[in-house]
Amino acid sequence: MAENKEKLFTEFPPISTAEWKAKVEADLKGADFAKLVWRTNEGFNVQPMYRAEDIKDLKTTDSLPGEYPFVRGTKINNNWFIRQEIVVYDVKAANEKALDILNKGVDSLGFKLKVEPTEENIAALLEGVVLGAVEVNFACCPGKAVELANALVAYIKANKAEETFNGSIEFNPYKRLLKHGLAFPKDITATAVELVKAVADVKKLRVLAVDSYMLTNAGAYIYQEIGYALAWGAQWMTALTEAGLTADEVAKRIKFNMGVSTNYFMEIAKFRAVRMLWAQIVKQYEPACDCSCKMAVHAITSEFNQTIYDAHVNLLRSQTEAMSAVIAGIDSLTVVPFDKQYKTPGEFSERMARNQQLLLKEESDMDKIVDPAGGSYYIETLTVAIAQEGWKVFLAVEDNGGFGAQVKAGEVQKAVNASASKRHTDVARRKEDLLGTNQFPNFNEMANDKIETEGCNCACAQDANGEAVEALTSKRGASDFEDLRLATERAANRPKVFMLTIGNLAMRLARSQFSSNFFACAGYEIVDNLGFNTVQEGVDAALAQAADVIVLCSSDDEYAELAPEAFKYLNGRAEFVVAGAPACSEDLKAIGITNFVNVKSNVLETLQAFNAKLLK
C-alpha cells in the first residue's frame, strides 16, 4: 500500500514559540514568562509549555514498545495483573479468601505469610488456584525465603506447572536494616545464590526483591526512589555474577516493587525512565539476550500521603496513582485500601481497591493502548529530566561502595529521612497539600473512635551490639496534624473559634473562610458570621458563645483602627488573632497583639501553640 504523506491542517499557519510566549505574556498582562517556570522537588525546572522542538533531539523517542531500552514498555500490550494482598495467619481462611477474590476480578495474589512456609501449608494455601492462570506472589521472613522456595517449587512440580507458573518470592534481606536498623543475620549473597538455584526449573519465578516502595512510604522523592532502586538492583547483579551466576540468570530473577505517589505526570515519567536506565545497567553485565534487560515492575500505591481524617479522599489519591502506574506500563499493581491507616481493611475497602483497577481496565480500556504517554512533549521531557536526576543518585551510591554498603552505613536512610523532614515541613506550611487534613478539613469529623490499629512512628532501632542504627521513618505526611486533632478530640474541652467579621465585605469573607479552615485543622469548633456593625458587637457575641479564640477578619486598611479597638475591648478574655499580614503589623505587635494567621504561617506550629494554651 502506498504511503500517505498528505499533510494535515495546512490551512493553519505555523506558530512559533516566540509567538506563543508573546501570547502568554499578553495574558499575564506584561508579567515575565519566566514566572510560570517552577522548580520540582526532583531538582529540575519545568516549563509552562512544551513543543515538538523540545523533544526533537531526544534519543528516547526512537524505540517502539517492547524494544530495548524499553522506555516505552517491555510489552506490546498494556495489560497488567490486578493484585490483592492477603495476610496469612490461617491457611484455610486465606485459601478461601483467595478463591473468593479470584472470582471478583483479581488475577494476582500476594500472600504475606505469618505461618511456617512448609510444603503442607503451601499446598493448602494454593488448593483450587489454577497455576499459570494467575500470578502468585509470596512474602515471608527473609531468613525463611529458601525454605519457602523449596516448598513452592515442590508444589509447582507436583502440578507440572514449571513452564506456566508466574509469580515471585519477596526476598529482601535489607528490610530489617531499612525499617528497624537491624542487619540480616545470614550471608546475603550465599542465601541469594541458594535461592536462585532452588527455583532454577521455574522460569518465571522471581525471587530477588527490590522493595523501593519502602522509600516512597518513608517520604522519599521520586528521583531518590529511582536512584536507590537502580543501585539496589545493581547490587544483586554485581554480587551474584561475582558469585558465579550469569547475568541472565540474575536479571530474570529480580522483581522491582516500587511505590507510586500522587505526582501524576512525574510518576508516569518515573516508570518510563527507570525501565530505560535499568536496561542500560543490565546491558553492562553482557547478558546473552536483551530480554534479560527488561525490568519486571510491581507498583504499590503510596501510604505516605494516606490520611485518617477524611479517609475517603485516599480513594482519589490512590486512583490517580493507579492511573500513573498503568499509563506508564507496569506489570502488576496493588491499590492500598483507603482505610489501612486506622484499621485492618475489611470487605468494603478491599472491594473498592479492586474496583479502582477494574474501572481502569474494564471501563476505561487502559489495557488496550501501550505507552499512551509516548510522544507527549511534556512527559517525554520529564522522562529524560528525571532519569538524569535519578542517575546522579545511582552514581553517588555506586561511588561509595554500592547499595548494601550505603544501607549498612545508614546513608540511604539519612537521605530519605531528610527528604521526609522537608516534606513534613512543607505539609506544615501547606506547600504540600493533603486535602481534608491541612487544607479544607471536615470541620465536625471525629476519628478517635474509628481507629483500631496504630502504626509505629519510630525512626531508629538498636542492632545486636546495642549500637543505634538509623532506620527509615514511618511517619506519614498527615501524622503530625492527626496527632494534633486527636489531642483535641481526647481533651475535656473542644476549643471554640469565633470569626469576628467586619468591614470590607470581600476581604472579611475571604479571611473568615481562610481562618475557619486554618483552625479546623486542629479540630476546633468554628463559629463563622455574616458580619458585625461594630467591634464591640462582635466581641460581645463571641463571649456570649464562650469563644476561646476570636479572629478579627477584615481588610488591611481597616485593621489599623479595628484591631486595637477590639484587642482593648476584649481585654484578655479570649485569645485574639488577626487574619492576614497587614502593613500595620508592627504597630499592632507594639500594643500586645501577637497572633497573626496568613498564607505564610506554619499552620502546624501555630496550632500546636494554641493546643498548648487551650486544651485541658
Side-chain angles (χ1 to χ4, degrees), residues 90-149:
D90 179 277
V91 172
K92 186 175 184 298
N95 172 257
E96 291 174 354
K97 182 172 184 177
L99 296 179
D100 178 56
I101 63 177
L102 287 174
N103 288 320
K104 294 177 176 177
V106 166
D107 53 11
S108 175
L109 300 170
F111 292 112
K112 297 186 176 182
L113 300 184
K114 302 298 182 180
V115 298
E116 291 298 313
T118 63
E119 290 188 32
E120 293 76 17
N121 280 340
I122 296 303
L125 192 59
L126 295 178
E127 183 179 357
V129 176
V130 181
L131 302 183
V134 298
E135 184 186 63
V136 184
N137 308 276
F138 294 87
C140 70
C141 170
K144 296 183 178 181
V146 174
E147 183 182 347
L148 170 59

Side-chain angles (χ1 to χ4, degrees), residues 306-309 476 478-487:
Q306 284 197 320
T307 62
I308 293 174
Y309 286 92
R476 292 171 291 108
S479 294
D480 292 329
F481 274 94
E482 289 167 354
D483 290 343
L484 186 75
R485 193 161 176 178
L486 287 169

